[in-house]
């Protein structure tokens, strides 16, 4: 692949990424679908030998994930599965690809909600596997995702513990997103849930603040130490590389 091809590939990915970003803030479902579909076609057009292919593959998976949320039933299921395939290729190429591991898990969680009992549990088990991979790359990064997984299995003690860890790691979504999260629909009826929500905005003690600074300093050597995974209602944003 020549220099021109490489530059062309990167330009295509950049242009497609802008379409995805525009789609995510659009309030027009038809425009959102059109932008995501066009972006997916651009990602698909980049050959595997191009230097930009790996980035295209990940963002292609994200576009498919967003498209799946616009569809229903079998069409939605197929798109979630296709997104998972793209993320799986990313992890083959780069086993410590944090975003691919997390987003594959997210896709599986959303896929499970559409499936029958047997397939649902298989998807949840695979999601747990992907979140465990992500947590192995950066400890605590998938805490909120685990909380959701525990919640849908009615393990509310484990859910509470995972939420507390997510808060400690700074990987919680906004309060409104937690409350409206479908995975938390039963958990939020538990007596401890409101107390946890209130605790999110509780001021830190000087001792806790000092400990946080010490932990942040010790984590500087981590490749993904600056990655902050926050949700926008979908549990994860783009991997920051």
């Amino acid at each position: 692949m020549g220099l021109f091809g490489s530059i062309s590939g990167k330009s295509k990915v950049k242009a497609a990424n802008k379409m995805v970003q525009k789609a995510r803030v659009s309030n027009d479902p038809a425009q959102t679908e059109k932008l995501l579909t066009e972006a997916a076609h651009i990602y698909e057009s980049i050959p595997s030998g191009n230097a930009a292919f790996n980035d295209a593959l990940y963002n292609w998976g994200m576009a498919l994930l967003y498209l799946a949320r616009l569809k229903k039933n079998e069409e939605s299921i197929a798109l979630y599965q296709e997104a998972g395939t793209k993320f799986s290729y990313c992890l083959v190429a780069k086993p410590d690809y944090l975003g691919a591991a997390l987003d594959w898990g997210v896709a599986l969680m959303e896929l499970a909600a559409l499936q029958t009992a047997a397939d649902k549990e298989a998807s949840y088990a695979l999601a747990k596997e992907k979140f465990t991979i992500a947590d192995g790359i950066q400890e605590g990064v998938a805490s909120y995702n685990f909380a959701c997984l525990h919640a849908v299995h009615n393990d509310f003690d484990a859910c509470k513990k995972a939420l507390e860890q997510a808060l400690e790691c700074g990987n919680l979504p906004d309060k409104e997103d937690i409350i409206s999260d479908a995975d938390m629909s039963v958990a939020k009826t538990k007596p401890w849930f409101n107390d946890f929500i209130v605790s999110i905005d509780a001021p830190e003690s000087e001792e806790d603040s000092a400990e946080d600074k010490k932990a942040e300093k010790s984590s500087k050597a981590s490749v993904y130490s600056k990655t902050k995974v926050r949700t926008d209602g979908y549990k994860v944003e783009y991997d920051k590389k």
Side-chain angles (χ1 to χ4, degrees):
M1 178 59 63
L3 177 61
F4 177 78
S6 176
I7 294 173
S8 177
K10 290 178 181 178
S11 296
K12 285 183 177 181
V13 171
K14 187 175 180 179
N17 288 351
K18 287 182 178 179
M19 289 182 182
V20 173
Q21 290 165 8
K22 186 176 180 181
R24 294 189 71 192
V25 298
S26 171
N27 294 317
D28 181 350
Q31 182 192 38
T32 298
E33 182 175 352
K34 181 175 182 293
L35 287 167
L36 290 173
T37 301
E38 289 178 358
H41 286 321
I42 293 173
Y43 296 132
E44 186 176 13
S45 72
I46 298 172
S48 59
N50 192 285
F53 179 72
N54 287 340
D55 282 340
L57 197 59
Y58 171 73
N59 289 293
W60 187 4
M62 292 303 298
L64 293 170
L65 175 57
Y66 297 140
L67 272 171
R69 291 170 179 152
L70 299 175
K71 302 296 184 178
K72 294 181 180 180
N73 304 322
E74 294 302 318
E75 191 174 5
S76 181
I77 287 173
L79 285 165
Y80 279 124
Q81 291 172 332
E82 190 178 349
T85 299
K86 303 300 180 283
F87 296 138
S88 73
Y89 291 154
C90 290
L91 283 170
V92 168
K94 188 175 185 292
D96 64 344
Y97 203 139
L98 181 60
L102 278 167
D103 288 320
W104 191 0
V106 169
L108 287 161
M109 290 287 288
E110 296 180 17
L111 170 63
L114 303 175
Q115 294 177 310
T116 56
D119 290 337
K120 183 189 299 286
E121 283 309 311
S123 292
Y124 281 142
L126 195 55
K128 181 179 180 180
E129 178 184 302
K130 304 314 162 192
F131 295 147
T132 300
I133 291 172
D135 227 39
I137 297 169
Q138 181 175 316
E139 186 178 0
V141 77
S143 299
Y144 182 74
N145 306 85
F146 279 122
C148 291
L149 196 55
H150 295 314
V152 297
H153 286 102
N154 298 324
D155 188 349
F156 300 114
D157 288 339
C159 174
K160 180 175 181 286
K161 184 177 180 180
L163 284 172
E164 291 169 344
Q165 185 179 21
L167 175 59
E168 183 180 345
C169 294
N171 290 325
L172 270 179
D174 295 333
K175 290 188 300 183
E176 293 75 13
D177 292 328
I178 300 173
I179 294 169
S180 63
D181 194 326
D183 291 338
M184 292 290 170
S185 59
V186 180
K188 69 182 182 183
T189 67
K190 300 302 173 182
W192 54 264
F193 188 85
N194 284 340
D195 291 337
F196 173 76
I197 294 297
V198 170
S199 75
I200 293 174
D201 292 331
E204 286 186 314
S205 68
E206 291 184 8
E207 182 180 345
D208 289 340
S209 181
E211 286 297 320
D212 288 343
K213 288 179 180 179
K214 186 184 296 182
E216 183 180 353
K217 184 177 181 181
S218 66
S219 68
K220 295 276 186 189
S222 172
V223 174
Y224 290 101
S225 64
K226 294 183 179 179
T227 301
K228 288 295 182 182
V229 180
R230 75 176 290 281
T231 75
D232 55 3
Y234 303 125
K235 304 189 181 64
V236 65
E237 69 174 5
Y238 291 104
D239 184 31
K240 294 180 175 61
K241 295 173 287 181

